[in-house]
Amino acid sequence: MNFEDSPQEAQFRATVREWLAANAEPKRHPRDFVGDGLPADQRLAAARVWQAKKAAAGYAAVTWPREFGGLGGTPIQHLIYLQEESKWRSTFGYFEIGIGMCLPTLMAYGNQHHKDRYVRTALYGEEIWCQLFSEPAAGSDLAGIRMRARREREQEGSDWMVDGQKVWTTGAQFSDFGLLLTRTDPTVPKHAGLTMFFVDMKSAGIEVRPIRQMAGESEFNEVFFTGVRIPDEQRLGPVGGGWKVALTTLMFERLTVGTELGLLTAQSMLSLLADRGDLSDPAVAESMADAWIVDEGLRLHQCRTLTALSKGSTPGPEQSIGKLLKARQAQRMSTFLMDLAGQGSLVVDEETDSLWSSVQRTWNWSAALRIAGGTDQILRNIIAERVLGLPEEIRVDKGIPFNQVTK
Amino acid sequence: MNFEDSPQEAQFRATVREWLAANAEPKRHPRDFVGDGLPADQRLAAARVWQAKKAAAGYAAVTWPREFGGLGGTPIQHLIYLQEESKWRSTFGYFEIGIGMCLPTLMAYGNQHHKDRYVRTALYGEEIWCQLFSEPAAGSDLAGIRMRARREREQEGSDWMVDGQKVWTTGAQFSDFGLLLTRTDPTVPKHAGLTMFFVDMKSAGIEVRPIRQMAGESEFNEVFFTGVRIPDEQRLGPVGGGWKVALTTLMFERLTVGTELGLLTAQSMLSLLADRGDLSDPAVAESMADAWIVDEGLRLHQCRTLTALSKGSTPGPEQSIGKLLKARQAQRMSTFLMDLAGQGSLVVDEETDSLWSSVQRTWNWSAALRIAGGTDQILRNIIAERVLGLPEEIRVDKGIPFNQVTK
Amino acid sequence: MNFDFSDDIKAMTAEVRRALERSCNMAEVRRCLEDGMFHPGGLISKPAWGVLAEMGVTGARIPEQWGGSGLGMLELAACAEEIGRVCAPVPSLPSVYLATEALLHSGTDSQRERWLPQLARGEAVGSMCFAPIDADGERLTARYAAVPAGAVADFLVVMSADDCAVLIDLHQDGVSRHPLRVLDPGSPMAELALNAVRSEPMNCPAGSYQGIRNRAAVLLAFEQLGGASRALDIARDYTLQRKTFGRTVASYQAVKHLMADVWVKNEIARGHAYHGAWASQTNDPALPLAAACARVSASEAFEFAAREALQLHGGIGFTWEADIHPFYKRSRSTALSLGSSREWKRRIAQLLHRQHMTIAHEL
Amino acid sequence: MNFDFSDDIKAMTAEVRRALERSCNMAEVRRCLEDGMFHPGGLISKPAWGVLAEMGVTGARIPEQWGGSGLGMLELAACAEEIGRVCAPVPSLPSVYLATEALLHSGTDSQRERWLPQLARGEAVGSMCFAPIDADGERLTARYAAVPAGAVADFLVVMSADDCAVLIDLHQDGVSRHPLRVLDPGSPMAELALNAVRSEPMNCPAGSYQGIRNRAAVLLAFEQLGGASRALDIARDYTLQRKTFGRTVASYQAVKHLMADVWVKNEIARGHAYHGAWASQTNDPALPLAAACARVSASEAFEFAAREALQLHGGIGFTWEADIHPFYKRSRSTALSLGSSREWKRRIAQLLHRQHMTIAHEL
């Protein structure tokens, strides 16, 4: 039992460190990214430059086969790269979804032309991809999407016309392409009538609207499709086979381990409490211990997962534990700290890098995070069903044609 | 808004007080009952004497009509009587089920002969009744009972032969009669095949066995029926109409408001903490406040219920809140106090009236109380469905003949 | 035993509810929150405040001689629940439950004469700070970091823990206001800097400080209770119409049980709130403990109800267009007004300990 | 990164599990509990203890020269989980994790010579008290209120917070034992009165007191973890076969989610327990914090798992015949051994504070 790299891992880490030291810029504060402080378009441009550099060195997609520009590395090597990169100025929020989920799906289901045309440009940050799955009436129940794709003419190979609405689309406003799940046949049970496409986000009939969140900011979009034409050539997998393709994408989502949620940590809580001199209060001390146990416990759980990974297992539903605990813990910690500090903690801390502004951001964002990416309830279902092997929820819509399920 | 008796209530209370002062013995400690310290049979004999005295004065069943020996009083008057009686030596555990639930059912569904023969003897404590509903395979799902009653001969009025097992029967060991729910037709859906009887507990073929609980004591029984003959004359309600009769019984159960659960109270917790000098610890102080808020909150909730009762409403599912909170609160409080006191609190306090023995009894008994009389989960269902009007659980056995429901 | 509001009070609050629902629906609340986000400090829902003045709520406790309705604490408490139900962005706590009450109990005749009629009509807004008073004669120089309604208040009462109080007219030289961005723009605050301003002493009987905090805690508990019940209603309505996997969301046991737990907490808080109202109304010695229990149980019930109601909405819950986020914000801001639950819990323990010792001593 | 037990350890514990399952099934556990209820103090499951001796667990940490297996903390920790899984009524904590460890770290040569071989063979049972030592020369008079395994122990180690320790042979005049009725008869205790008994000083290096408590906390955490996982398994098996309203109990969402929550707590506790084992094994400076986190998370996980597993059984859960109540009792008794979670949580906060200050100072 140990926490050290294996000899191979240590060697990879050393190589990465050397490359980063030669190519990356030092971080000035924890939330300092490439292009920090620049206007949105210049920031994006700077991000593309860094992405291209990474891609040229093979680090943009460590686990991809070499033929696609990756290193053919293991998930652990990918994680080692991310650990090391996080000490330097890097990028966040532009390329993860495309490289982590969309392109792997394209590699699995696309033809040779697709691979030649799209993989390299995405890897080098020249084109950005987004994922168009969720809909207003299909969140937890993704297979319940309604976005309708119809063949323009009733014949093989005909173009498709798409109408409907997607929601919660991260990065839609600057994306070039989107992976799009549609319903092509509403007369069959819900999982059977889906088809996957990718779509040029600049197509006529696509409108991207930011969603305003409860704290006033916008991190997601709604995307409206009105008579959008998609060539049949951009279909991934067979007509009616979209659910299987979507599951592939979601499986890749699970592989994006170690994503930073940007929430208050127990370590920050400790700093705040120590600075306030509050730890001598036994009630505060006990809350601090509770928070520490969860945070540190998740880190150790992650270490066990990584151990399993490095022994060759694939990440399973056990990973649901992280977000389930983290989001609730964040909500509890931020509330607790504000209670301690009193009414003044309601005043927005304008200094965005301060511990207090992170408390406030966490209070707002934790409410969303208990929902986004699987609600607490869905995650418990996943643990109960897929880890503990308990019976699935009763599905009253099982086997019933989609258009006959009680609306 | 006030907490005082109305003039009529005050007058009733005064009458009750006067009667108790003239007839009851003073209580020497909180758990001092009539016959305290005597062997079981003498204790029961003493209890019967006190019951007869109450019955003669009309107090044994305040809400019953005068023709049955009651006072024709209101639920509030019943409660006032109980409040006052609790200050004196009284009885507990012998007559409540008979007078509170079985006899009212008999009065509702029995014939004149039944009423003449059984009501008075029960009221005066000469005969004791128990309730034979639950079965090993039918706890929360009471309508799933299997105890089989068959007509001896296929003709109207024939005697019935009963086989099967009941469980959790309080007082079976000293009861004279039992209210018995049976299944007379397993070929129809579960609610439709039930029939209610009452049975002489001394009938041949009935065996009462105490159930040993986890702390070693026995407060309930299993009752085994092997070829027990019951005359058709002892049937209550029509054949196949047993569910409706059972619902009547359960409705009367709800009327038995204000039952003392014998658990640790926040007031006792306060005594213990104050004696230990622990309240200056802020963490202890906060826990004390939490406990107080629940206990006192339940008392105030009870005051609201009584107000509604005295305005003529009947007790509804809102009452589920009491046991749901009380049992969990008891488990929390007893655990907390033992944590404070350390390992020594594991040593059984042999002094049965001490605060510490009540902590220990509460720790054991609260685990049972979260189950007995409706699990936490069932109570939440009741609140969700009957108070908040949320949809019922999906019943996969609905409308299916009982003997075809997947075992 | 008559532990409920009278039919008269129920009829009155039903009218207040109807009027508030008309004048202050969730679109109006969101409009105010948006306004408050970009123009901090200045916010007040004029339609809601107008209704409260018109229906005699702002002047509920003010005697008729000064244009008020001369009602009791029970009436005001019942109305507070309605204010909470609609999540009204109005300065009810600083102006009605605190400043007005302070004037009623500790104001001089001329102070009352001057402010109470305007308060009754809703034309003046007061605010209140609990802080030590370090006045140089009649001149006060001080800085208050986060004064509720501080940007719009016409006067400020400052009261210290040793029962001293002064009133400051905020329309005078030397007063400068700095509106603040806050997490709940529906409960705006401002920083007030007072530079040698004229402060008028008030007539503060012993026990005023804790007395006014106790009564305000009870009234605020009713607002929180209103918010908590409404949050549950909103969650119930939403989950009953929303479907997932072919079933209404409300049919899932996890969802049902969560709402049952919310209901249970709300019921417990309601008992304590009623108790607090009764003790305020009758000036019963139980008031300190009853007020503290009302405060804590209502704060916790409202935060739990709002937080889980938001959760039960799924994704839509954290969008601006949802009706639930104003309650999430209000639950947090009300929990931190008048001191947090932690402080009140410690007070409960102290009061209980004292009570226990007194009884033990008497035995 | 290799944060898991080695395949060798896994193979070894699999054998221990099989042997314990054979020798100490729930019928044996119930028999011991019943015995302990009526004949307090005397209890020990001979078959279970025999297996532990035979398989080298009682002597896991004892060097081979004294007949032990000379294994590391990791091995013993992994075995402790198996002891907890079967809820074995054996004095593993007082004898193996405490008294034996105390002898290994602080025993004199002759003390080791005398006791270790017997401990390794499971023929002697030790116990330990943490208390101030007030010895008059070599004679000790003292009263210990609740000594684990006090009725059967052959010797007792008493250690004080200032790192003094003595060993007392309990087979001598002046020792009187009073077996106690306890809530968990599977963890019996006795009151020991010592009247001028001979006490032998031990060689206690500085830091022994906390060191031995930390390592014992880690080992006990593994027992608790074993109990917690088993309680979940029992609840899972029961609810999968039990039906209500025509469906298996395990198909209800409230039941599923409760078990999911139990699993989550167990996983978190497992990470901390592993960390504690690693820190004990490597004597890493992280040990004090790791041990405290292991102790608290395992205590809480076990109590939650046992309590809710019992709940998930419905009525059968609180009968003697059910397999779950021994775990409910054990979860309570283990939570109170070595100090409660409250104490360890405060220790966590202290350690964190110290750590933070050191880092802040270095910056």
Side-chain angles (χ1 to χ4, degrees):
Chain A
M1 198 180 272
N2 64 64
F3 293 92
E4 281 109 60
D5 289 335
S6 71
Q8 301 90 315
E9 288 162 3
Q11 200 198 324
F12 181 76
R13 193 184 294 275
T15 317
V16 167
R17 279 189 180 162
E18 201 177 316
W19 183 82
L20 284 165
N23 291 279
E25 289 172 62
K27 217 170 187 171
R28 295 162 305 177
H29 59 80
R31 292 166 60 84
D32 184 20
F33 295 107
V34 164
D36 207 33
L38 297 178
D41 55 339
Q42 292 177 41
R43 202 173 172 209
L44 176 53
R48 289 188 203 268
V49 171
W50 173 239
Q51 181 68 15
K53 234 186 211 178
K54 277 165 67 173
Y59 293 128
V62 172
T63 56
W64 287 11
R66 290 187 178 271
E67 55 175 305
F68 290 118
L71 287 181
T74 63
I76 293 289
Q77 289 181 324
H78 175 55
L79 193 79
I80 289 173
Y81 177 79
L82 290 180
Q83 283 172 348
E84 295 300 324
E85 194 196 51
S86 73
K87 301 171 190 165
W88 301 82
R89 280 185 112 187
S90 172
T91 69
F92 183 71
Y94 298 114
F95 311 112
E96 289 83 354
I97 290 170
I99 294 176
M101 299 164 66
C102 301
L103 275 302
T105 307
L106 189 96
M107 289 187 247
Y109 288 93
N111 57 33
Q112 195 55 45
H113 164 68
H114 293 144
K115 297 176 196 170
D116 294 344
R117 162 65 187 82
Y118 299 105
V119 173
R120 197 188 170 284
T121 49
L123 195 66
Y124 278 74
E126 291 160 20
E127 287 166 347
I128 296 178
W129 286 62
C130 63
Q131 180 200 311
L132 298 151
F133 282 16
S134 293
E135 295 186 8
S140 302
D141 181 13
L142 180 60
I145 60 141
R146 294 174 183 186
M147 178 168 282
R148 191 71 169 91
R150 291 179 184 79
R151 280 194 195 278
E152 194 176 24
R153 290 178 314 280
E154 278 301 329
Q155 67 179 78
E156 279 291 307
S158 151
D159 285 357
W160 297 78
M161 302 302 290
V162 180
D163 293 274
Q165 180 192 351
K166 293 289 176 184
V167 79
W168 309 123
T169 317
T170 310
Q173 72 275 26
F174 50 65
S175 283
D176 302 285
F177 297 96
L179 194 63
L180 179 72
L181 187 62
T182 68
R183 182 164 306 279
T184 42
D185 186 355
T187 68
V188 295
K190 64 181 183 182
H191 293 97
L194 305 174
T195 303
M196 187 73 82
F197 295 92
F198 66 87
V199 59
D200 186 334
M201 290 298 285
K202 288 169 213 76
S203 308
I206 292 183
E207 186 196 352
V208 175
R209 288 188 212 156
I211 298 173
R212 187 163 186 201
Q213 287 159 238
M214 65 177 197
E217 79 290 16
S218 296
E219 300 180 33
F220 306 100
N221 301 280
E222 297 177 293
V223 184
F224 294 85
F225 283 65
T226 318
V228 174
R229 176 186 301 270
I230 303 181
D232 191 53
E233 208 268 329
Q234 289 175 209
R235 176 161 50 77
L236 295 176
V239 174
W243 184 243
K244 200 179 153 203
V245 186
L247 287 181
T248 309
T249 314
L250 297 175
M251 200 268 284
F252 285 115
E253 183 171 23
R254 227 189 261 156
L255 276 165
T256 57
V257 286
T259 314
E260 186 48 62
L261 301 169
L263 296 171
L264 188 68
T265 62
Q267 188 69 56
S268 314
M269 179 173 172
L270 174 60
S271 297
L272 272 171
L273 293 177
D275 293 350
R276 292 175 45 90
D278 278 333
L279 285 168
S280 54
D281 180 324
V284 175
E286 288 183 22
S287 294
M288 181 66 240
D290 286 334
W292 185 263
I293 284 171
V294 173
D295 253 29
E296 171 75 353
L298 283 173
R299 183 183 74 80
L300 294 164
H301 183 262
Q302 184 79 344
C303 290
R304 289 174 52 222
T305 307
L306 293 176
T307 302
L309 270 186
S310 79
K311 289 181 180 167
S313 77
T314 48
E318 296 82 4
Q319 282 301 72
S320 302
I321 195 173
K323 195 182 80 75
L324 178 61
L325 281 182
K326 202 98 184 172
R328 285 185 300 160
Q329 150 103 337
Q331 201 167 35
R332 250 192 320 263
M333 282 199 299
S334 57
T335 305
F336 174 81
L337 289 170
M338 288 165 76
D339 275 352
L340 262 188
Q343 202 167 13
S345 64
L346 292 166
V347 178
V348 173
D349 189 336
E350 307 280 358
E351 203 181 312
T352 52
D353 292 323
S354 74
L355 282 174
W356 273 110
S357 83
S358 124
V359 170
Q360 295 176 331
R361 195 172 49 240
T362 295
W363 181 76
N364 268 313
W365 180 228
S366 59
L369 201 72
R370 286 182 55 199
I371 294 164
T375 61
D376 289 358
Q377 287 75 20
I378 291 288
L379 295 179
R380 287 202 187 91
N381 267 3
I382 290 175
I383 291 170
E385 294 170 13
R386 299 200 219 148
V387 180
L388 298 177
L390 304 179
E392 285 187 17
E393 290 300 300
I394 295 176
R395 301 279 185 237
V396 293
D397 56 356
K398 206 165 195 168
I400 300 177
F402 184 72
N403 57 9
Q404 284 168 40
V405 174
T406 345
K407 293 297 184 302
Chain B
M1 197 180 270
N2 65 63
F3 292 93
E4 281 109 58
D5 289 334
S6 69
Q8 300 91 314
E9 288 162 3
Q11 201 198 323
F12 181 76
R13 192 183 295 275
T15 316
V16 166
R17 279 188 180 162
E18 201 176 315
W19 185 83
L20 285 165
N23 291 278
E25 288 172 63
K27 219 171 185 170
R28 294 162 307 178
H29 58 81
R31 291 165 61 85
D32 184 20
F33 295 107
V34 166
D36 207 33
L38 297 179
D41 54 341
Q42 292 176 38
R43 204 176 170 205
L44 174 53
R48 289 190 204 265
V49 172
W50 172 239
Q51 180 70 14
K53 237 187 209 176
K54 277 166 67 172
Y59 294 128
V62 172
T63 55
W64 287 10
R66 288 187 179 268
E67 53 175 307
F68 290 120
L71 287 180
T74 62
I76 293 289
Q77 289 181 322
H78 176 54
L79 193 81
I80 288 174
Y81 177 78
L82 290 179
Q83 285 173 345
E84 296 300 325
E85 194 196 50
S86 73
K87 299 170 191 164
W88 301 83
R89 281 185 110 186
S90 171
T91 69
F92 182 72
Y94 298 113
F95 312 111
E96 289 83 354
I97 291 171
I99 293 176
M101 300 165 66
C102 301
L103 276 302
T105 307
L106 189 96
M107 289 187 245
Y109 287 94
N111 56 34
Q112 193 56 42
H113 165 68
H114 294 142
K115 295 175 197 170
D116 294 341
R117 162 65 187 81
Y118 298 104
V119 173
R120 195 186 171 285
T121 49
L123 194 68
Y124 278 74
E126 291 160 22
E127 289 168 347
I128 296 178
W129 287 62
C130 63
Q131 180 200 308
L132 297 152
F133 283 15
S134 293
E135 295 184 10
S140 301
D141 180 14
L142 179 60
I145 59 142
R146 295 173 183 186
M147 179 167 284
R148 190 71 167 88
R150 290 181 183 80
R151 282 195 195 273
E152 195 177 23
R153 292 177 313 280
E154 276 302 329
Q155 68 181 76
E156 279 290 309
S158 151
D159 285 357
W160 297 79
M161 301 302 291
V162 181
D163 292 274
Q165 181 192 351
K166 292 292 176 180
V167 79
W168 308 125
T169 316
T170 310
Q173 72 276 27
F174 49 65
S175 283
D176 302 286
F177 298 96
L179 194 64
L180 180 73
L181 188 62
T182 67
R183 180 163 307 280
T184 41
D185 186 356
T187 66
V188 294
K190 64 180 182 180
H191 293 97
L194 305 174
T195 303
M196 187 74 81
F197 296 92
F198 65 88
V199 60
D200 185 334
M201 291 296 286
K202 286 167 215 80
S203 308
I206 294 184
E207 188 196 351
V208 176
R209 287 188 213 156
I211 298 172
R212 189 163 185 199
Q213 285 160 241
M214 64 179 198
E217 80 292 16
S218 296
E219 299 180 32
F220 306 100
N221 300 281
E222 298 177 291
V223 184
F224 294 85
F225 282 65
T226 318
V228 175
R229 176 187 302 270
I230 303 181
D232 191 52
E233 208 268 333
Q234 289 175 208
R235 174 161 50 77
L236 295 176
V239 174
W243 185 244
K244 200 178 153 206
V245 185
L247 288 180
T248 309
T249 313
L250 298 173
M251 200 267 283
F252 284 114
E253 184 170 22
R254 227 189 260 155
L255 275 165
T256 57
V257 286
T259 313
E260 187 46 65
L261 300 170
L263 297 170
L264 190 69
T265 62
Q267 186 70 55
S268 313
M269 177 172 173
L270 174 60
S271 295
L272 273 171
L273 294 176
D275 292 350
R276 291 176 47 89
D278 278 333
L279 285 168
S280 54
D281 180 323
V284 176
E286 287 182 23
S287 294
M288 180 66 239
D290 286 335
W292 185 263
I293 284 170
V294 173
D295 253 29
E296 171 77 352
L298 282 174
R299 184 184 74 80
L300 294 165
H301 183 264
Q302 184 80 341
C303 290
R304 288 175 53 224
T305 306
L306 293 177
T307 302
L309 270 187
S310 78
K311 288 180 181 167
S313 77
T314 47
E318 296 83 3
Q319 282 301 72
S320 303
I321 194 175
K323 196 182 80 75
L324 178 61
L325 282 182
K326 201 98 184 171
R328 287 186 298 161
Q329 150 102 339
Q331 200 166 38
R332 251 191 322 263
M333 282 198 298
S334 56
T335 306
F336 174 80
L337 289 170
M338 289 164 75
D339 275 353
L340 263 187
Q343 202 167 13
S345 64
L346 292 166
V347 179
V348 172
D349 189 335
E350 308 280 357
E351 203 182 315
T352 52
D353 292 321
S354 74
L355 282 174
W356 272 110
S357 82
S358 126
V359 170
Q360 295 176 331
R361 196 172 47 241
T362 295
W363 180 76
N364 268 312
W365 181 228
S366 59
L369 202 73
R370 286 181 57 198
I371 294 165
T375 62
D376 289 359
Q377 287 74 19
I378 291 287
L379 295 180
R380 287 200 186 91
N381 267 3
I382 289 175
I383 291 170
E385 295 171 13
R386 299 200 218 148
V387 181
L388 298 176
L390 304 178
E392 284 187 18
E393 290 300 299
I394 295 177
R395 302 279 184 235
V396 293
D397 56 358
K398 208 168 194 166
I400 299 178
F402 183 72
N403 57 10
Q404 281 168 41
V405 173
T406 345
K407 292 299 183 304
Chain C
M1 178 73 64
N2 183 14
F3 191 49
D4 194 4
F5 287 116
S6 68
D7 290 344
D8 282 357
I9 294 185
K10 285 181 182 167
M12 174 188 146
T13 50
E15 278 205 45
V16 171
R17 178 181 300 198
R18 274 192 296 275
L20 280 174
E21 279 172 355
R22 267 197 310 272
S23 68
C24 187
N25 61 17
M26 292 314 294
E28 164 70 3
V29 173
R30 268 197 302 273
R31 195 195 59 69
C32 289
L33 260 65
E34 174 150 13
D35 194 41
M37 228 161 43
F38 296 105
H39 309 98
L43 159 130
I44 201 172
S45 167
K46 290 218 167 54
W49 193 243
V51 157
L52 293 175
E54 204 173 289
M55 304 199 70
V57 180
T58 52
R61 302 267 291 137
I62 297 173
E64 290 176 12
Q65 63 180 116
W66 289 306
S69 8
L71 299 171
M73 279 290 286
L74 292 181
E75 284 80 358
L76 181 53
C79 292
E81 182 175 347
E82 300 308 325
I83 295 174
R85 269 195 76 82
V86 298
C87 208
V90 293
S92 45
L93 173 64
S95 189
V96 185
Y97 314 152
L98 288 171
T100 303
E101 288 287 314
L103 274 174
L104 286 168
H105 286 84
S106 317
T108 63
D109 286 350
S110 69
Q111 287 166 345
R112 288 178 180 161
E113 197 66 50
R114 160 119 199 248
W115 292 110
L116 289 178
Q118 294 184 61
L119 286 167
R121 291 192 303 270
E123 289 167 15
V125 167
S127 185
M128 189 154 175
C129 282
F130 297 96
I133 298 166
D134 186 16
D136 181 11
E138 287 199 346
R139 293 284 156 181
L140 181 73
T141 297
R143 193 175 199 87
Y144 302 110
V147 180
V152 297
D154 298 289
F155 69 94
L156 177 72
V157 174
V158 183
M159 194 178 276
S160 65
D162 57 353
D163 299 318
C164 284
V166 295
L167 186 149
I168 296 141
D169 186 334
L170 293 175
H171 300 293
Q172 59 172 304
D173 287 350
V175 171
S176 70
R177 317 185 191 221
H178 172 56
L180 300 163
R181 289 216 307 138
V182 288
L183 287 192
D184 174 18
S187 305
M189 301 196 285
E191 186 183 333
L192 289 194
L194 309 181
N195 186 13
V197 299
R198 215 173 70 82
S199 74
E200 312 159 24
M202 298 178 77
N203 293 327
C204 227
S208 292
Y209 177 85
Q210 201 51 61
I212 199 166
R213 286 176 70 87
N214 286 338
R215 287 190 303 275
V218 170
L219 293 167
L220 187 59
F222 274 89
E223 275 201 16
Q224 294 172 304
L225 191 59
S229 331
R230 180 75 180 287
L232 177 56
D233 289 350
I234 292 174
R236 182 179 171 278
D237 292 349
Y238 181 78
T239 55
L240 277 170
Q241 60 79 11
R242 172 87 181 178
K243 306 230 170 190
T244 189
F245 300 105
R247 286 163 57 184
T248 57
V249 169
S251 76
Y252 288 89
Q253 205 175 32
V255 171
K256 290 164 65 176
H257 285 196
L258 193 49
M259 286 196 266
D261 285 343
V262 170
W263 180 83
V264 166
K265 268 187 192 287
N266 289 0
E267 283 294 292
I268 292 297
R270 184 170 293 280
H272 284 297
Y274 283 23
H275 193 214
W278 167 82
S280 299
Q281 171 75 12
T282 58
N283 227 340
D284 191 90
L287 178 59
L289 188 54
C293 288
R295 168 104 192 104
V296 173
S297 59
S299 287
E300 294 191 344
F302 190 15
E303 291 217 272
F304 182 64
R307 185 174 79 217
E308 300 307 326
L310 193 155
Q311 172 72 15
L312 289 172
H313 279 67
I316 200 80
F318 60 88
T319 65
W320 185 263
E321 291 313 311
D323 284 347
I324 193 66
H325 68 86
F327 292 90
Y328 185 59
K329 291 165 180 164
R330 187 62 49 89
S331 74
R332 193 82 278 257
S333 65
T334 49
L336 292 178
S337 307
L338 295 174
S340 72
S341 288
R342 297 167 42 79
E343 296 163 41
W344 287 90
K345 278 187 192 175
R346 291 168 190 211
R347 194 166 147 73
I348 289 173
Q350 272 169 8
L351 291 166
L352 286 175
H353 194 215
R354 205 176 303 159
Q355 201 176 75
H356 176 79
M357 288 307 169
T358 313
I359 294 169
H361 190 255
E362 281 168 0
L363 289 178
Chain D
M1 178 72 62
N2 182 14
F3 190 48
D4 195 2
F5 287 117
S6 69
D7 290 343
D8 282 356
I9 293 185
K10 286 180 183 169
M12 172 187 149
T13 51
E15 279 205 44
V16 171
R17 177 181 300 199
R18 274 191 296 275
L20 280 175
E21 280 171 354
R22 266 197 309 273
S23 67
C24 188
N25 60 17
M26 292 314 293
E28 164 72 1
V29 172
R30 268 197 302 273
R31 194 194 61 69
C32 290
L33 261 64
E34 175 153 9
D35 195 40
M37 228 163 38
F38 296 106
H39 310 98
L43 161 133
I44 200 173
S45 167
K46 292 217 164 58
W49 193 242
V51 159
L52 294 175
E54 205 173 290
M55 304 199 69
V57 180
T58 52
R61 302 267 292 138
I62 298 173
E64 292 174 13
Q65 62 179 118
W66 290 304
S69 6
L71 300 170
M73 278 291 285
L74 291 181
E75 284 79 359
L76 181 53
C79 293
E81 183 175 347
E82 301 307 327
I83 296 173
R85 267 195 78 81
V86 298
C87 207
V90 293
S92 46
L93 173 65
S95 189
V96 185
Y97 314 152
L98 288 171
T100 303
E101 288 288 314
L103 274 175
L104 286 167
H105 286 85
S106 315
T108 62
D109 286 349
S110 70
Q111 286 165 345
R112 289 180 180 159
E113 197 66 49
R114 158 119 200 247
W115 291 110
L116 290 177
Q118 295 185 59
L119 286 167
R121 291 194 301 270
E123 289 166 11
V125 169
S127 185
M128 188 155 176
C129 283
F130 296 96
I133 296 166
D134 185 17
D136 180 12
E138 287 199 346
R139 292 285 156 181
L140 181 73
T141 296
R143 193 174 200 88
Y144 302 109
V147 180
V152 298
D154 298 290
F155 70 92
L156 177 72
V157 174
V158 183
M159 193 177 276
S160 64
D162 57 351
D163 297 321
C164 284
V166 295
L167 187 149
I168 296 142
D169 185 336
L170 292 176
H171 300 293
Q172 60 171 303
D173 287 347
V175 172
S176 69
R177 318 184 190 221
H178 172 55
L180 299 164
R181 290 216 304 138
V182 288
L183 287 191
D184 174 19
S187 304
M189 300 196 287
E191 186 183 333
L192 289 194
L194 309 181
N195 186 13
V197 299
R198 216 172 71 80
S199 73
E200 313 159 24
M202 299 178 77
N203 292 328
C204 224
S208 293
Y209 176 86
Q210 200 54 60
I212 199 166
R213 287 176 68 87
N214 287 339
R215 288 190 302 275
V218 170
L219 293 167
L220 187 58
F222 274 91
E223 275 201 17
Q224 294 173 303
L225 192 58
S229 331
R230 180 76 181 285
L232 176 56
D233 288 351
I234 292 175
R236 181 179 171 278
D237 292 348
Y238 181 78
T239 55
L240 277 171
Q241 57 82 7
R242 171 87 182 178
K243 307 230 167 190
T244 190
F245 300 105
R247 288 163 56 184
T248 58
V249 169
S251 75
Y252 288 88
Q253 204 175 32
V255 171
K256 291 164 64 178
H257 285 195
L258 193 50
M259 285 196 266
D261 285 343
V262 170
W263 180 84
V264 166
K265 269 188 190 287
N266 289 359
E267 283 295 291
I268 292 298
R270 184 170 293 279
H272 285 296
Y274 283 23
H275 193 215
W278 167 84
S280 298
Q281 171 76 13
T282 57
N283 228 340
D284 192 270
L287 177 59
L289 189 52
C293 288
R295 167 104 192 104
V296 173
S297 58
S299 288
E300 294 191 344
F302 191 14
E303 291 218 272
F304 182 64
R307 185 173 78 219
E308 300 308 326
L310 193 155
Q311 173 72 16
L312 289 173
H313 278 68
I316 201 79
F318 60 88
T319 66
W320 185 264
E321 291 313 310
D323 284 347
I324 193 66
H325 67 87
F327 292 90
Y328 185 59
K329 291 164 180 165
R330 188 61 49 89
S331 73
R332 193 82 276 259
S333 65
T334 49
L336 292 178
S337 307
L338 295 174
S340 72
S341 288
R342 296 167 42 80
E343 297 162 42
W344 288 90
K345 278 187 191 176
R346 289 168 190 211
R347 193 167 148 73
I348 290 173
Q350 273 169 8
L351 291 165
L352 287 174
H353 194 214
R354 204 176 304 159
Q355 200 177 77
H356 176 80
M357 287 308 168
T358 314
I359 294 168
H361 191 253
E362 280 167 2
L363 288 179

